[in-house]
mmCIF file of all heavy atoms in Angstrom:
data_model
loop_
_atom_site.group_PDB
_atom_site.id
_atom_site.type_symbol
_atom_site.label_atom_id
_atom_site.label_comp_id
_atom_site.label_asym_id
_atom_site.label_seq_id
_atom_site.Cartn_x
_atom_site.Cartn_y
_atom_site.Cartn_z
ATOM 1 N N MET A 289 93.427 84.424 83.565
ATOM 2 C CA MET A 289 94.589 83.670 83.161
ATOM 3 C C MET A 289 95.473 83.430 84.379
ATOM 4 O O MET A 289 96.171 84.322 84.824
ATOM 5 C CB MET A 289 95.352 84.410 82.085
ATOM 6 C CG MET A 289 94.597 84.501 80.773
ATOM 7 S SD MET A 289 95.540 85.253 79.458
ATOM 8 C CE MET A 289 95.347 86.973 79.901
ATOM 9 N N VAL A 290 95.421 82.269 84.865
ATOM 10 C CA VAL A 290 96.142 81.887 86.074
ATOM 11 C C VAL A 290 97.649 81.978 85.878
ATOM 12 O O VAL A 290 98.368 82.444 86.744
ATOM 13 C CB VAL A 290 95.754 80.454 86.491
ATOM 14 C CG1 VAL A 290 96.597 79.984 87.635
ATOM 15 C CG2 VAL A 290 94.278 80.381 86.817
ATOM 16 N N TYR A 291 98.136 81.561 84.748
ATOM 17 C CA TYR A 291 99.568 81.474 84.540
ATOM 18 C C TYR A 291 100.257 82.831 84.468
ATOM 19 O O TYR A 291 101.472 82.920 84.588
ATOM 20 C CB TYR A 291 99.897 80.673 83.281
ATOM 21 C CG TYR A 291 99.336 81.281 82.018
ATOM 22 C CD1 TYR A 291 100.020 82.287 81.350
ATOM 23 C CD2 TYR A 291 98.124 80.847 81.505
ATOM 24 C CE1 TYR A 291 99.497 82.852 80.201
ATOM 25 C CE2 TYR A 291 97.603 81.401 80.358
ATOM 26 C CZ TYR A 291 98.293 82.401 79.706
ATOM 27 O OH TYR A 291 97.775 82.949 78.566
ATOM 28 N N VAL A 292 99.533 83.912 84.306
ATOM 29 C CA VAL A 292 100.137 85.238 84.188
ATOM 30 C C VAL A 292 100.964 85.580 85.417
ATOM 31 O O VAL A 292 102.002 86.228 85.315
ATOM 32 C CB VAL A 292 99.057 86.311 83.938
ATOM 33 C CG1 VAL A 292 99.656 87.702 83.982
ATOM 34 C CG2 VAL A 292 98.369 86.074 82.609
ATOM 35 N N ASP A 293 100.535 85.150 86.590
ATOM 36 C CA ASP A 293 101.253 85.456 87.823
ATOM 37 C C ASP A 293 102.391 84.476 88.112
ATOM 38 O O ASP A 293 103.097 84.646 89.094
ATOM 39 C CB ASP A 293 100.288 85.451 89.011
ATOM 40 C CG ASP A 293 99.276 86.578 88.930
ATOM 41 O OD1 ASP A 293 99.606 87.634 88.349
ATOM 42 O OD2 ASP A 293 98.158 86.405 89.439
ATOM 43 N N MET A 294 102.567 83.472 87.275
ATOM 44 C CA MET A 294 103.610 82.481 87.511
ATOM 45 C C MET A 294 104.949 82.992 86.993
ATOM 46 O O MET A 294 105.031 83.660 85.974
ATOM 47 C CB MET A 294 103.255 81.155 86.845
ATOM 48 C CG MET A 294 102.052 80.475 87.460
ATOM 49 S SD MET A 294 101.607 78.927 86.652
ATOM 50 C CE MET A 294 102.972 77.879 87.129
ATOM 51 N N GLU A 295 106.005 82.665 87.716
ATOM 52 C CA GLU A 295 107.372 83.069 87.386
ATOM 53 C C GLU A 295 108.134 81.847 86.867
ATOM 54 O O GLU A 295 107.687 80.704 87.042
ATOM 55 C CB GLU A 295 108.057 83.608 88.641
ATOM 56 C CG GLU A 295 107.367 84.813 89.255
ATOM 57 C CD GLU A 295 107.477 86.061 88.388
ATOM 58 O OE1 GLU A 295 108.441 86.173 87.607
ATOM 59 O OE2 GLU A 295 106.596 86.927 88.499
ATOM 60 N N PRO A 296 109.307 82.065 86.248
ATOM 61 C CA PRO A 296 110.106 80.929 85.776
ATOM 62 C C PRO A 296 110.419 79.916 86.882
ATOM 63 O O PRO A 296 110.419 78.713 86.635
ATOM 64 C CB PRO A 296 111.386 81.583 85.245
ATOM 65 C CG PRO A 296 110.940 82.942 84.808
ATOM 66 C CD PRO A 296 109.893 83.344 85.826
ATOM 67 N N GLU A 297 110.646 80.403 88.116
ATOM 68 C CA GLU A 297 110.923 79.454 89.204
ATOM 69 C C GLU A 297 109.691 78.632 89.577
ATOM 70 O O GLU A 297 109.797 77.623 90.254
ATOM 71 C CB GLU A 297 111.506 80.155 90.439
ATOM 72 C CG GLU A 297 110.709 81.311 90.948
ATOM 73 C CD GLU A 297 111.109 82.659 90.339
ATOM 74 O OE1 GLU A 297 111.893 82.729 89.401
ATOM 75 O OE2 GLU A 297 110.591 83.657 90.836
ATOM 76 N N ASP A 298 108.512 79.064 89.106
ATOM 77 C CA ASP A 298 107.283 78.292 89.286
ATOM 78 C C ASP A 298 107.097 77.279 88.165
ATOM 79 O O ASP A 298 106.142 76.506 88.177
ATOM 80 C CB ASP A 298 106.061 79.214 89.312
ATOM 81 C CG ASP A 298 106.079 80.199 90.466
ATOM 82 O OD1 ASP A 298 106.547 79.827 91.563
ATOM 83 O OD2 ASP A 298 105.634 81.349 90.272
ATOM 84 N N GLY A 299 107.975 77.321 87.160
ATOM 85 C CA GLY A 299 107.897 76.378 86.054
ATOM 86 C C GLY A 299 107.150 76.885 84.845
ATOM 87 O O GLY A 299 106.766 76.115 83.987
ATOM 88 N N CYS A 300 106.925 78.210 84.754
ATOM 89 C CA CYS A 300 106.245 78.796 83.605
ATOM 90 C C CYS A 300 107.251 79.608 82.799
ATOM 91 O O CYS A 300 107.899 80.517 83.323
ATOM 92 C CB CYS A 300 105.101 79.698 84.058
ATOM 93 S SG CYS A 300 104.188 80.453 82.685
ATOM 94 N N LEU A 301 107.397 79.264 81.538
ATOM 95 C CA LEU A 301 108.326 79.950 80.648
ATOM 96 C C LEU A 301 107.556 80.521 79.470
ATOM 97 O O LEU A 301 106.482 80.034 79.121
ATOM 98 C CB LEU A 301 109.382 78.967 80.143
ATOM 99 C CG LEU A 301 110.120 78.172 81.220
ATOM 100 C CD1 LEU A 301 110.984 77.103 80.573
ATOM 101 C CD2 LEU A 301 110.955 79.086 82.082
ATOM 102 N N TRP A 302 108.092 81.548 78.846
ATOM 103 C CA TRP A 302 107.465 82.131 77.661
ATOM 104 C C TRP A 302 108.300 81.778 76.443
ATOM 105 O O TRP A 302 109.510 81.972 76.425
ATOM 106 C CB TRP A 302 107.345 83.646 77.806
ATOM 107 C CG TRP A 302 106.290 84.000 78.788
ATOM 108 C CD1 TRP A 302 106.439 84.259 80.120
ATOM 109 C CD2 TRP A 302 104.891 84.089 78.527
ATOM 110 N NE1 TRP A 302 105.223 84.509 80.699
ATOM 111 C CE2 TRP A 302 104.257 84.418 79.747
ATOM 112 C CE3 TRP A 302 104.109 83.939 77.394
ATOM 113 C CZ2 TRP A 302 102.880 84.590 79.855
ATOM 114 C CZ3 TRP A 302 102.747 84.119 77.503
ATOM 115 C CH2 TRP A 302 102.141 84.435 78.715
ATOM 116 N N VAL A 303 107.651 81.248 75.428
ATOM 117 C CA VAL A 303 108.299 80.901 74.171
ATOM 118 C C VAL A 303 107.921 81.977 73.162
ATOM 119 O O VAL A 303 106.743 82.278 72.988
ATOM 120 C CB VAL A 303 107.839 79.507 73.683
ATOM 121 C CG1 VAL A 303 108.477 79.177 72.350
ATOM 122 C CG2 VAL A 303 108.152 78.447 74.732
ATOM 123 N N TYR A 304 108.939 82.564 72.525
ATOM 124 C CA TYR A 304 108.713 83.639 71.563
ATOM 125 C C TYR A 304 108.846 83.097 70.153
ATOM 126 O O TYR A 304 109.762 82.353 69.846
ATOM 127 C CB TYR A 304 109.724 84.771 71.777
ATOM 128 C CG TYR A 304 109.519 85.477 73.092
ATOM 129 C CD1 TYR A 304 110.102 85.018 74.261
ATOM 130 C CD2 TYR A 304 108.711 86.598 73.158
ATOM 131 C CE1 TYR A 304 109.900 85.658 75.465
ATOM 132 C CE2 TYR A 304 108.497 87.251 74.365
ATOM 133 C CZ TYR A 304 109.098 86.778 75.502
ATOM 134 O OH TYR A 304 108.879 87.411 76.707
ATOM 135 N N GLY A 305 107.922 83.513 69.294
ATOM 136 C CA GLY A 305 107.928 83.096 67.902
ATOM 137 C C GLY A 305 108.124 84.295 66.997
ATOM 138 O O GLY A 305 108.494 85.380 67.447
ATOM 139 N N PRO A 306 107.843 84.109 65.723
ATOM 140 C CA PRO A 306 107.990 85.211 64.779
ATOM 141 C C PRO A 306 107.043 86.357 65.123
ATOM 142 O O PRO A 306 105.977 86.151 65.709
ATOM 143 C CB PRO A 306 107.636 84.598 63.426
ATOM 144 C CG PRO A 306 107.045 83.274 63.714
ATOM 145 C CD PRO A 306 107.359 82.893 65.107
ATOM 146 N N ASP A 307 107.442 87.556 64.780
ATOM 147 C CA ASP A 307 106.630 88.754 65.009
ATOM 148 C C ASP A 307 106.284 88.944 66.481
ATOM 149 O O ASP A 307 105.204 89.407 66.829
ATOM 150 C CB ASP A 307 105.345 88.721 64.171
ATOM 151 C CG ASP A 307 105.625 88.656 62.684
ATOM 152 O OD1 ASP A 307 106.608 89.290 62.241
ATOM 153 O OD2 ASP A 307 104.879 87.965 61.974
ATOM 154 N N ASP A 308 107.208 88.548 67.386
ATOM 155 C CA ASP A 308 107.022 88.714 68.835
ATOM 156 C C ASP A 308 105.789 88.008 69.381
ATOM 157 O O ASP A 308 105.255 88.389 70.415
ATOM 158 C CB ASP A 308 106.989 90.193 69.221
ATOM 159 C CG ASP A 308 108.340 90.861 69.061
ATOM 160 O OD1 ASP A 308 109.354 90.182 69.297
ATOM 161 O OD2 ASP A 308 108.367 92.051 68.709
ATOM 162 N N GLN A 309 105.320 86.968 68.710
ATOM 163 C CA GLN A 309 104.222 86.167 69.254
ATOM 164 C C GLN A 309 104.764 85.403 70.457
ATOM 165 O O GLN A 309 105.897 84.944 70.459
ATOM 166 C CB GLN A 309 103.683 85.197 68.210
ATOM 167 C CG GLN A 309 103.011 85.872 67.048
ATOM 168 C CD GLN A 309 102.568 84.856 66.008
ATOM 169 O OE1 GLN A 309 102.994 83.709 66.002
ATOM 170 N NE2 GLN A 309 101.707 85.301 65.111
ATOM 171 N N GLN A 310 103.948 85.278 71.489
ATOM 172 C CA GLN A 310 104.361 84.601 72.716
ATOM 173 C C GLN A 310 103.338 83.540 73.098
ATOM 174 O O GLN A 310 102.147 83.712 72.868
ATOM 175 C CB GLN A 310 104.435 85.583 73.875
ATOM 176 C CG GLN A 310 105.222 86.813 73.633
ATOM 177 C CD GLN A 310 105.051 87.772 74.802
ATOM 178 O OE1 GLN A 310 105.024 87.359 75.954
ATOM 179 N NE2 GLN A 310 104.941 89.042 74.505
ATOM 180 N N ILE A 311 103.833 82.485 73.699
ATOM 181 C CA ILE A 311 102.947 81.453 74.231
ATOM 182 C C ILE A 311 103.594 80.903 75.500
ATOM 183 O O ILE A 311 104.812 80.746 75.560
ATOM 184 C CB ILE A 311 102.695 80.331 73.197
ATOM 185 C CG1 ILE A 311 101.620 79.378 73.699
ATOM 186 C CG2 ILE A 311 103.970 79.594 72.862
ATOM 187 C CD1 ILE A 311 101.073 78.460 72.640
ATOM 188 N N PRO A 312 102.783 80.672 76.545
ATOM 189 C CA PRO A 312 103.375 80.110 77.764
ATOM 190 C C PRO A 312 103.669 78.622 77.574
ATOM 191 O O PRO A 312 102.958 77.917 76.856
ATOM 192 C CB PRO A 312 102.288 80.313 78.817
ATOM 193 C CG PRO A 312 101.018 80.369 78.048
ATOM 194 C CD PRO A 312 101.361 80.965 76.711
ATOM 195 N N ALA A 313 104.743 78.180 78.192
ATOM 196 C CA ALA A 313 105.106 76.767 78.207
ATOM 197 C C ALA A 313 105.391 76.394 79.657
ATOM 198 O O ALA A 313 105.825 77.232 80.448
ATOM 199 C CB ALA A 313 106.334 76.527 77.338
ATOM 200 N N PHE A 314 105.132 75.149 80.001
ATOM 201 C CA PHE A 314 105.276 74.721 81.384
ATOM 202 C C PHE A 314 106.194 73.521 81.487
ATOM 203 O O PHE A 314 106.116 72.586 80.693
ATOM 204 C CB PHE A 314 103.911 74.348 81.972
ATOM 205 C CG PHE A 314 102.940 75.487 81.968
ATOM 206 C CD1 PHE A 314 102.066 75.674 80.917
ATOM 207 C CD2 PHE A 314 102.923 76.392 83.014
ATOM 208 C CE1 PHE A 314 101.176 76.736 80.900
ATOM 209 C CE2 PHE A 314 102.045 77.464 83.013
ATOM 210 C CZ PHE A 314 101.170 77.626 81.953
ATOM 211 N N THR A 315 107.055 73.556 82.502
ATOM 212 C CA THR A 315 107.857 72.387 82.835
ATOM 213 C C THR A 315 106.941 71.416 83.583
ATOM 214 O O THR A 315 105.796 71.749 83.903
ATOM 215 C CB THR A 315 109.034 72.780 83.751
ATOM 216 O OG1 THR A 315 108.508 73.302 84.981
ATOM 217 C CG2 THR A 315 109.933 73.827 83.095
ATOM 218 N N ASP A 316 107.438 70.225 83.870
ATOM 219 C CA ASP A 316 106.642 69.276 84.664
ATOM 220 C C ASP A 316 106.275 69.895 86.013
ATOM 221 O O ASP A 316 105.134 69.795 86.467
ATOM 222 C CB ASP A 316 107.401 67.964 84.888
ATOM 223 C CG ASP A 316 107.517 67.126 83.624
ATOM 224 O OD1 ASP A 316 106.717 67.345 82.683
ATOM 225 O OD2 ASP A 316 108.412 66.259 83.573
ATOM 226 N N PHE A 317 107.246 70.562 86.646
ATOM 227 C CA PHE A 317 106.980 71.235 87.916
ATOM 228 C C PHE A 317 105.944 72.337 87.726
ATOM 229 O O PHE A 317 105.079 72.552 88.568
ATOM 230 C CB PHE A 317 108.268 71.808 88.507
ATOM 231 C CG PHE A 317 108.050 72.572 89.775
ATOM 232 C CD1 PHE A 317 107.715 71.919 90.950
ATOM 233 C CD2 PHE A 317 108.163 73.953 89.791
ATOM 234 C CE1 PHE A 317 107.509 72.625 92.128
ATOM 235 C CE2 PHE A 317 107.948 74.674 90.961
ATOM 236 C CZ PHE A 317 107.626 74.007 92.127
ATOM 237 N N GLY A 318 106.008 73.039 86.598
ATOM 238 C CA GLY A 318 105.054 74.103 86.305
ATOM 239 C C GLY A 318 103.636 73.581 86.189
ATOM 240 O O GLY A 318 102.687 74.223 86.644
ATOM 241 N N LEU A 319 103.482 72.422 85.574
ATOM 242 C CA LEU A 319 102.147 71.821 85.458
ATOM 243 C C LEU A 319 101.612 71.439 86.837
ATOM 244 O O LEU A 319 100.430 71.632 87.120
ATOM 245 C CB LEU A 319 102.182 70.602 84.542
ATOM 246 C CG LEU A 319 102.413 70.914 83.063
ATOM 247 C CD1 LEU A 319 102.575 69.624 82.270
ATOM 248 C CD2 LEU A 319 101.299 71.761 82.495
ATOM 249 N N GLU A 320 102.485 70.923 87.692
ATOM 250 C CA GLU A 320 102.072 70.603 89.061
ATOM 251 C C GLU A 320 101.676 71.874 89.811
ATOM 252 O O GLU A 320 100.656 71.898 90.508
ATOM 253 C CB GLU A 320 103.207 69.897 89.808
ATOM 254 C CG GLU A 320 103.506 68.510 89.316
ATOM 255 C CD GLU A 320 104.720 67.910 90.016
ATOM 256 O OE1 GLU A 320 104.994 68.281 91.174
ATOM 257 O OE2 GLU A 320 105.391 67.071 89.395
ATOM 258 N N SER A 321 102.475 72.927 89.656
ATOM 259 C CA SER A 321 102.186 74.200 90.321
ATOM 260 C C SER A 321 100.865 74.777 89.835
ATOM 261 O O SER A 321 100.059 75.271 90.631
ATOM 262 C CB SER A 321 103.307 75.211 90.045
ATOM 263 O OG SER A 321 104.518 74.781 90.577
ATOM 264 N N LEU A 322 100.636 74.718 88.535
ATOM 265 C CA LEU A 322 99.400 75.245 87.960
ATOM 266 C C LEU A 322 98.195 74.453 88.463
ATOM 267 O O LEU A 322 97.178 75.034 88.848
ATOM 268 C CB LEU A 322 99.477 75.196 86.432
ATOM 269 C CG LEU A 322 98.320 75.805 85.666
ATOM 270 C CD1 LEU A 322 98.178 77.289 85.973
ATOM 271 C CD2 LEU A 322 98.532 75.607 84.164
ATOM 272 N N THR A 323 98.320 73.146 88.510
ATOM 273 C CA THR A 323 97.243 72.291 89.012
ATOM 274 C C THR A 323 96.937 72.618 90.470
ATOM 275 O O THR A 323 95.771 72.755 90.854
ATOM 276 C CB THR A 323 97.620 70.803 88.877
ATOM 277 O OG1 THR A 323 97.877 70.521 87.499
ATOM 278 C CG2 THR A 323 96.526 69.891 89.368
ATOM 279 N N ASP A 324 97.976 72.782 91.285
ATOM 280 C CA ASP A 324 97.787 73.132 92.694
ATOM 281 C C ASP A 324 97.127 74.499 92.832
ATOM 282 O O ASP A 324 96.232 74.682 93.665
ATOM 283 C CB ASP A 324 99.117 73.119 93.442
ATOM 284 C CG ASP A 324 99.706 71.729 93.598
ATOM 285 O OD1 ASP A 324 98.949 70.740 93.430
ATOM 286 O OD2 ASP A 324 100.914 71.634 93.877
ATOM 287 N N PHE A 325 97.578 75.466 92.028
ATOM 288 C CA PHE A 325 97.022 76.814 92.096
ATOM 289 C C PHE A 325 95.535 76.799 91.739
ATOM 290 O O PHE A 325 94.723 77.435 92.407
ATOM 291 C CB PHE A 325 97.787 77.741 91.155
ATOM 292 C CG PHE A 325 97.322 79.167 91.224
ATOM 293 C CD1 PHE A 325 97.765 80.010 92.216
ATOM 294 C CD2 PHE A 325 96.418 79.652 90.294
ATOM 295 C CE1 PHE A 325 97.334 81.322 92.288
ATOM 296 C CE2 PHE A 325 95.972 80.961 90.353
ATOM 297 C CZ PHE A 325 96.432 81.798 91.355
ATOM 298 N N ILE A 326 95.167 76.060 90.703
ATOM 299 C CA ILE A 326 93.756 75.982 90.287
ATOM 300 C C ILE A 326 92.924 75.311 91.377
ATOM 301 O O ILE A 326 91.835 75.778 91.712
ATOM 302 C CB ILE A 326 93.624 75.242 88.940
ATOM 303 C CG1 ILE A 326 94.230 76.105 87.833
ATOM 304 C CG2 ILE A 326 92.171 74.904 88.638
ATOM 305 C CD1 ILE A 326 94.385 75.382 86.511
ATOM 306 N N ARG A 327 93.436 74.228 91.943
ATOM 307 C CA ARG A 327 92.724 73.523 93.011
ATOM 308 C C ARG A 327 92.504 74.458 94.201
ATOM 309 O O ARG A 327 91.405 74.529 94.758
ATOM 310 C CB ARG A 327 93.511 72.293 93.442
ATOM 311 C CG ARG A 327 92.797 71.425 94.457
ATOM 312 C CD ARG A 327 93.584 70.177 94.829
ATOM 313 N NE ARG A 327 93.860 69.345 93.667
ATOM 314 C CZ ARG A 327 95.103 69.078 93.208
ATOM 315 N NH1 ARG A 327 96.150 69.565 93.817
ATOM 316 N NH2 ARG A 327 95.279 68.313 92.162
ATOM 317 N N GLU A 328 93.541 75.203 94.574
ATOM 318 C CA GLU A 328 93.442 76.143 95.692
ATOM 319 C C GLU A 328 92.450 77.268 95.376
ATOM 320 O O GLU A 328 91.654 77.659 96.223
ATOM 321 C CB GLU A 328 94.828 76.734 95.966
ATOM 322 C CG GLU A 328 94.948 77.494 97.241
ATOM 323 C CD GLU A 328 96.385 77.907 97.495
ATOM 324 O OE1 GLU A 328 97.278 77.049 97.400
ATOM 325 O OE2 GLU A 328 96.598 79.096 97.778
ATOM 326 N N HIS A 329 92.483 77.759 94.156
ATOM 327 C CA HIS A 329 91.562 78.824 93.744
ATOM 328 C C HIS A 329 90.112 78.343 93.824
ATOM 329 O O HIS A 329 89.247 79.062 94.314
ATOM 330 C CB HIS A 329 91.890 79.283 92.326
ATOM 331 C CG HIS A 329 90.939 80.302 91.786
ATOM 332 N ND1 HIS A 329 90.984 81.613 92.182
ATOM 333 C CD2 HIS A 329 89.926 80.195 90.906
ATOM 334 C CE1 HIS A 329 90.017 82.273 91.561
ATOM 335 N NE2 HIS A 329 89.367 81.441 90.781
ATOM 336 N N LYS A 330 89.855 77.132 93.366
ATOM 337 C CA LYS A 330 88.493 76.594 93.409
ATOM 338 C C LYS A 330 88.025 76.435 94.867
ATOM 339 O O LYS A 330 86.877 76.703 95.176
ATOM 340 C CB LYS A 330 88.425 75.247 92.694
ATOM 341 C CG LYS A 330 88.460 75.375 91.193
ATOM 342 C CD LYS A 330 88.351 74.013 90.541
ATOM 343 C CE LYS A 330 88.301 74.123 89.046
ATOM 344 N NZ LYS A 330 88.173 72.807 88.400
ATOM 345 N N THR A 331 88.916 75.999 95.744
ATOM 346 C CA THR A 331 88.574 75.845 97.154
ATOM 347 C C THR A 331 88.253 77.192 97.775
ATOM 348 O O THR A 331 87.255 77.350 98.470
ATOM 349 C CB THR A 331 89.737 75.183 97.921
ATOM 350 O OG1 THR A 331 89.990 73.898 97.361
ATOM 351 C CG2 THR A 331 89.408 75.052 99.397
ATOM 352 N N ASN A 332 89.082 78.194 97.504
ATOM 353 C CA ASN A 332 88.892 79.526 98.076
ATOM 354 C C ASN A 332 87.678 80.224 97.485
ATOM 355 O O ASN A 332 87.057 81.039 98.158
ATOM 356 C CB ASN A 332 90.141 80.383 97.868
ATOM 357 C CG ASN A 332 91.310 79.885 98.681
ATOM 358 O OD1 ASN A 332 91.133 79.175 99.662
ATOM 359 N ND2 ASN A 332 92.502 80.241 98.260
ATOM 360 N N ARG A 333 87.344 79.929 96.256
ATOM 361 C CA ARG A 333 86.191 80.553 95.602
ATOM 362 C C ARG A 333 84.921 80.263 96.389
ATOM 363 O O ARG A 333 84.086 81.134 96.583
ATOM 364 C CB ARG A 333 86.052 80.038 94.171
ATOM 365 C CG ARG A 333 84.887 80.647 93.423
ATOM 366 C CD ARG A 333 84.828 80.199 91.999
ATOM 367 N NE ARG A 333 84.733 78.745 91.937
ATOM 368 C CZ ARG A 333 84.930 78.039 90.841
ATOM 369 N NH1 ARG A 333 85.247 78.626 89.723
ATOM 370 N NH2 ARG A 333 84.828 76.732 90.855
ATOM 371 N N GLY A 334 84.799 79.079 96.900
ATOM 372 C CA GLY A 334 83.631 78.697 97.678
ATOM 373 C C GLY A 334 83.580 79.371 99.039
ATOM 374 O O GLY A 334 82.532 79.474 99.654
ATOM 375 N N ARG A 335 84.715 79.850 99.505
ATOM 376 C CA ARG A 335 84.789 80.503 100.812
ATOM 377 C C ARG A 335 84.656 82.010 100.710
ATOM 378 O O ARG A 335 84.676 82.696 101.722
ATOM 379 C CB ARG A 335 86.125 80.180 101.472
ATOM 380 C CG ARG A 335 86.286 78.718 101.787
ATOM 381 C CD ARG A 335 87.617 78.475 102.440
ATOM 382 N NE ARG A 335 87.814 77.055 102.640
ATOM 383 C CZ ARG A 335 88.986 76.491 102.789
ATOM 384 N NH1 ARG A 335 90.080 77.216 102.758
ATOM 385 N NH2 ARG A 335 89.092 75.199 102.969
ATOM 386 N N GLY A 336 84.588 82.553 99.501
ATOM 387 C CA GLY A 336 84.451 83.986 99.314
ATOM 388 C C GLY A 336 85.724 84.753 99.585
ATOM 389 O O GLY A 336 85.721 85.943 99.835
ATOM 390 N N GLU A 337 86.890 84.071 99.512
ATOM 391 C CA GLU A 337 88.161 84.740 99.738
ATOM 392 C C GLU A 337 88.586 85.484 98.490
ATOM 393 O O GLU A 337 88.007 85.328 97.425
ATOM 394 C CB GLU A 337 89.225 83.706 100.143
ATOM 395 C CG GLU A 337 88.923 83.063 101.476
ATOM 396 C CD GLU A 337 89.958 82.050 101.898
ATOM 397 O OE1 GLU A 337 91.062 82.042 101.323
ATOM 398 O OE2 GLU A 337 89.669 81.268 102.806
ATOM 399 N N LYS A 338 89.625 86.301 98.630
ATOM 400 C CA LYS A 338 90.121 87.132 97.524
ATOM 401 C C LYS A 338 90.246 86.308 96.248
ATOM 402 O O LYS A 338 90.798 85.224 96.238
ATOM 403 C CB LYS A 338 91.471 87.729 97.877
ATOM 404 C CG LYS A 338 91.997 88.645 96.806
ATOM 405 C CD LYS A 338 93.332 89.224 97.186
ATOM 406 C CE LYS A 338 93.846 90.089 96.059
ATOM 407 N NZ LYS A 338 95.180 90.585 96.312
ATOM 408 N N GLY A 339 89.734 86.883 95.159
ATOM 409 C CA GLY A 339 89.801 86.212 93.871
ATOM 410 C C GLY A 339 88.757 85.141 93.716
ATOM 411 O O GLY A 339 88.745 84.429 92.733
ATOM 412 N N GLY A 340 87.871 85.025 94.690
ATOM 413 C CA GLY A 340 86.906 83.961 94.664
ATOM 414 C C GLY A 340 85.593 84.315 94.012
ATOM 415 O O GLY A 340 84.734 83.471 93.868
ATOM 416 N N GLU A 341 85.422 85.568 93.628
ATOM 417 C CA GLU A 341 84.139 85.956 93.013
ATOM 418 C C GLU A 341 84.108 85.453 91.583
ATOM 419 O O GLU A 341 85.066 85.571 90.842
ATOM 420 C CB GLU A 341 83.980 87.464 93.034
ATOM 421 C CG GLU A 341 83.804 87.999 94.430
ATOM 422 C CD GLU A 341 83.575 89.498 94.426
ATOM 423 O OE1 GLU A 341 83.112 90.028 93.398
ATOM 424 O OE2 GLU A 341 83.874 90.135 95.442
ATOM 425 N N GLN A 342 83.004 84.893 91.228
ATOM 426 C CA GLN A 342 82.848 84.350 89.890
ATOM 427 C C GLN A 342 82.041 85.330 89.045
ATOM 428 O O GLN A 342 81.030 85.863 89.486
ATOM 429 C CB GLN A 342 82.117 83.013 89.972
ATOM 430 C CG GLN A 342 82.184 82.226 88.701
ATOM 431 C CD GLN A 342 81.616 80.829 88.920
ATOM 432 O OE1 GLN A 342 80.997 80.558 89.944
ATOM 433 N NE2 GLN A 342 81.828 79.967 87.975
ATOM 434 N N LYS A 343 82.519 85.582 87.843
ATOM 435 C CA LYS A 343 81.839 86.492 86.936
ATOM 436 C C LYS A 343 80.613 85.794 86.353
ATOM 437 O O LYS A 343 80.615 84.579 86.164
ATOM 438 C CB LYS A 343 82.777 86.910 85.809
ATOM 439 C CG LYS A 343 83.952 87.728 86.290
ATOM 440 C CD LYS A 343 84.854 88.098 85.141
ATOM 441 C CE LYS A 343 86.051 88.870 85.623
ATOM 442 N NZ LYS A 343 86.973 89.163 84.542
ATOM 443 N N PRO A 344 79.577 86.556 86.037
ATOM 444 C CA PRO A 344 78.390 85.952 85.422
ATOM 445 C C PRO A 344 78.767 85.206 84.154
ATOM 446 O O PRO A 344 79.586 85.679 83.368
ATOM 447 C CB PRO A 344 77.499 87.148 85.107
ATOM 448 C CG PRO A 344 77.972 88.231 86.020
ATOM 449 C CD PRO A 344 79.432 87.980 86.246
ATOM 450 N N GLY A 345 78.214 84.049 83.987
ATOM 451 C CA GLY A 345 78.473 83.240 82.803
ATOM 452 C C GLY A 345 79.722 82.392 82.902
ATOM 453 O O GLY A 345 80.089 81.709 81.984
ATOM 454 N N SER A 346 80.424 82.426 84.057
ATOM 455 C CA SER A 346 81.639 81.620 84.224
ATOM 456 C C SER A 346 81.300 80.253 84.752
ATOM 457 O O SER A 346 80.426 80.073 85.526
ATOM 458 C CB SER A 346 82.603 82.278 85.208
ATOM 459 O OG SER A 346 82.991 83.540 84.773
#
Protein backbone atom coordinates (compact mmCIF):
# COMPACT_ATOMS: atom_id res chain seq x y z
CA MET A 1 0.00 0.00 0.00
CA VAL A 2 1.84 3.00 -1.31
CA TYR A 3 -0.38 5.59 0.30
CA VAL A 4 0.37 4.39 3.86
CA ASP A 5 3.60 6.41 3.91
CA MET A 6 1.92 9.56 2.58
CA GLU A 7 1.26 12.47 4.94
CA PRO A 8 -1.44 15.18 4.76
CA GLU A 9 1.12 17.58 3.26
CA ASP A 10 1.53 15.00 0.47
CA GLY A 11 -2.19 15.29 -0.25
CA CYS A 12 -3.38 12.09 1.46
CA LEU A 13 -6.17 12.44 4.01
CA TRP A 14 -8.09 9.84 6.01
CA VAL A 15 -11.88 9.95 6.02
CA TYR A 16 -13.53 8.32 9.04
CA GLY A 17 -16.94 6.71 8.88
CA PRO A 18 -19.19 4.89 11.30
CA ASP A 19 -17.60 2.32 13.61
CA ASP A 20 -14.13 3.90 13.05
CA GLN A 21 -14.00 2.71 9.43
CA GLN A 22 -11.31 4.59 7.52
CA ILE A 23 -10.62 5.18 3.86
CA PRO A 24 -7.84 7.24 2.27
CA ALA A 25 -8.82 10.25 0.18
CA PHE A 26 -6.54 12.26 -2.07
CA THR A 27 -6.43 15.90 -3.07
CA ASP A 28 -5.48 16.74 -6.66
CA PHE A 29 -1.90 17.25 -5.43
CA GLY A 30 -2.12 13.90 -3.63
CA LEU A 31 -3.06 12.11 -6.83
CA GLU A 32 -0.09 13.71 -8.58
CA SER A 33 2.19 12.70 -5.70
CA LEU A 34 0.87 9.14 -5.73
CA THR A 35 1.34 8.88 -9.49
CA ASP A 36 4.92 10.16 -9.20
CA PHE A 37 5.67 7.79 -6.32
CA ILE A 38 4.36 4.78 -8.29
CA ARG A 39 6.32 5.80 -11.40
CA GLU A 40 9.49 6.17 -9.32
CA HIS A 41 8.89 2.83 -7.59
CA LYS A 42 8.47 1.04 -10.92
CA THR A 43 11.70 2.62 -12.22
CA ASN A 44 13.66 1.65 -9.10
CA ARG A 45 12.21 -1.87 -9.09
CA GLY A 46 14.05 -2.61 -12.31
CA ARG A 47 17.30 -1.38 -10.79
CA GLY A 48 17.07 -3.60 -7.70
CA GLU A 49 16.99 -0.62 -5.33
CA LYS A 50 15.30 -0.66 -1.92
CA GLY A 51 11.68 -1.72 -2.17
CA GLY A 52 12.27 -2.99 -5.66
CA GLU A 53 11.90 -6.70 -5.00
CA GLN A 54 8.74 -8.12 -6.41
CA LYS A 55 6.87 -10.82 -4.53
CA PRO A 56 5.96 -14.01 -6.39
CA GLY A 57 2.66 -13.64 -8.17
CA SER A 58 2.85 -9.82 -8.27
